[in-house]
Amino acid sequence: MRAPGGTMASERERRPNIRDVAARAGVSYQTVSRALNRHPNVKAATLAKVEAAIAELGYRPNAAARALVRQRSQTIGLLTLPTTDYGPQTQQIAIETAARDAGYRIALTNAASGSVEDLAAGLTFLRETNVDALVVSVAETAVLEALGQLRVEVPYVTLEPTGLAFGHSVAIDQRLGARMAVDHLAALGHRRIAQLRGPRGSIDASARARGVEERAAELGLELVGTVEGDWTPRSGYERGPEVLALDATGIAVGNDQMALGLLHACRDAGLRVPEDRSVVGFDDVPEAPHYPTALTTIRQEFEEVGAAAMRVLLDDLAGRAGLVHLRIPPTLVERGSTARVR
């Protein structure tokens, strides 16, 4: 039915959204998100303007309606950062499968960045979607720090190993995996170890680097140097000459993708793997057995992480779970890129 003047009644009566509130208050929609999440950096005067605009427009986030009626939406929110990496994608599929098996849907949103503003906007979107619980698939220090400043009103679990975000956490034991890589090299007689680690801002990269450093010291090995990459095969190749110049016989690499680039750098330098250098990766991506030299690596059970995260949330929603910090052990997969030191 059309209203006078040819306007559809449903269009004329459209519910106000967060951008309408922002326009009425004269602030950005990110500021409205922060205000809704009671972010401590929102000034009292700004908060008053946002609250006045909400009252004038009759704006009501779905989370408020949920609080009033105490109903479940059978929806789990999944908050991520944009990525095409194998691990996060595999975990996401496992989460979706476990949710579907339990009768839940998944509402997915990608935060534009790890800033407080973008995380608040993502949380607001999921609140308006009326989610019952939330999975935060992040592994960046800045994201956890930002998350700690926000009020999350539903049970949530982070897929990272620190457990510092005040909710549940489920993750592979990254430090244990790195220690296993060093143990493997030491068992093959390697005494001079180098590592090609991931970027400084990554929680996983830092945990793996600490694991290498700790275990090398405990075993009396010489850690001759650490070089930083950015997870990509290109960085493994470009930083490869710097790693090889350290003259270590055994090299622990922060992930399989960088290890692929390092193998390329070894070939360019005329070095044979594993005869001249032994290389251990981390992840066990599907391509790892098919690298030019099949890669010895630390296998992460990404599917198990995703499924366990859903179990923790479902237990919480059923009132069966206290705070859970679950660490899943990785496994060593020995292939052709490591051998006894010559």
Side-chain angles (χ1 to χ4, degrees):
M1 176 178 179
R2 290 190 177 275
T7 303
M8 293 293 292
S10 60
E11 293 174 351
R12 184 189 64 205
E13 297 169 2
R14 176 181 64 84
R15 289 181 59 191
N17 59 36
I18 192 171
R19 294 184 183 274
D20 298 325
V21 174
R24 178 64 63 90
V27 299
S28 69
Y29 78 91
Q30 293 96 332
T31 297
V32 176
S33 294
R34 292 197 299 272
L36 289 170
N37 283 286
R38 292 298 187 264
H39 190 281
N41 291 341
V42 177
K43 296 179 180 178
T46 302
L47 180 60
K49 288 196 295 184
V50 171
E51 290 177 340
I54 288 172
E56 291 170 14
L57 293 172
Y59 172 70
R60 172 178 285 181
N62 285 340
R66 181 180 68 245
L68 289 174
V69 299
R70 302 294 185 189
Q71 292 180 345
R72 293 273 174 86
S73 67
Q74 296 302 113
T75 303
I76 302 294
L78 178 56
L79 179 63
T80 70
L81 294 178
T83 181
T84 58
D85 290 345
Y86 170 71
Q89 290 290 319
T90 305
Q91 287 176 163
Q92 179 178 323
I93 292 170
I95 291 166
E96 291 173 335
T97 300
R100 185 169 59 249
D101 290 346
Y104 282 79
R105 299 180 296 271
I106 290 290
L108 168 68
T109 190
N110 288 310
S113 74
S115 69
V116 174
E117 291 78 10
D118 286 333
L119 283 176
L123 287 173
T124 297
F125 169 80
L126 292 172
R127 287 170 61 195
E128 292 181 345
T129 307
N130 198 28
V131 298
D132 296 328
L134 180 66
V135 179
V136 182
S137 180
V138 298
E140 306 295 326
T141 304
V143 173
L144 284 192
E145 291 174 349
L147 187 64
Q149 299 179 50
L150 301 173
R151 185 177 66 184
V152 183
E153 298 175 333
V154 296
Y156 71 97
V157 58
T158 56
L159 306 186
E160 51 75 33
T162 69
L164 297 178
F166 307 110
H168 305 295
S169 66
V170 175
I172 300 293
D173 192 330
Q174 304 292 327
R175 291 172 69 182
L176 174 60
R179 293 169 67 89
M180 293 169 67
V182 175
D183 282 342
H184 175 64
L185 291 171
L188 293 172
H190 296 275
R191 309 299 300 174
R192 289 176 57 82
I193 306 295
Q195 70 168 327
L196 174 57
R197 59 160 290 164
R200 295 280 169 184
S202 166
I203 294 169
D204 289 347
S206 296
R208 294 172 196 175
R210 286 197 304 273
V212 169
E213 293 162 2
E214 291 169 355
R215 192 56 177 155
E218 291 168 4
L219 295 176
L221 307 181
E222 184 181 1
L223 181 59
V224 296
T226 296
V227 177
E228 182 177 340
D230 65 6
W231 296 134
T232 65
R234 179 176 179 177
S235 74
Y237 177 69
E238 292 180 344
R239 304 308 299 274
E242 186 177 348
V243 175
L244 298 177
L246 296 170
D247 198 29
T249 62
I251 305 170
V253 185
N255 75 336
D256 291 350
Q257 296 296 315
M258 289 192 299
L260 175 61
L262 180 63
L263 293 178
H264 186 183
C266 287
R267 292 196 303 275
D268 282 2
L271 295 173
R272 297 167 301 167
V273 176
E275 292 86 353
D276 301 316
R277 297 289 189 276
S278 283
V279 176
V280 183
F282 208 113
D283 284 341
D284 196 25
V285 298
E287 300 84 3
H290 308 290
Y291 282 4
T293 301
L295 186 65
T296 295
T297 187
I298 302 300
R299 177 175 176 79
Q300 300 197 76
E301 298 293 347
F302 294 113
E303 296 90 346
E304 187 174 347
V305 171
M310 276 303 306
R311 289 196 301 270
V312 168
L313 287 182
L314 293 174
D315 282 346
D316 191 311
L317 290 170
R320 294 193 298 265
L323 190 61
V324 174
H325 296 304
L326 177 62
R327 300 294 170 263
I328 298 170
T331 55
L332 173 74
V333 180
E334 186 173 356
R335 298 192 180 101
S337 67
T338 53
R340 183 162 294 280
V341 68
R342 298 179 64 184

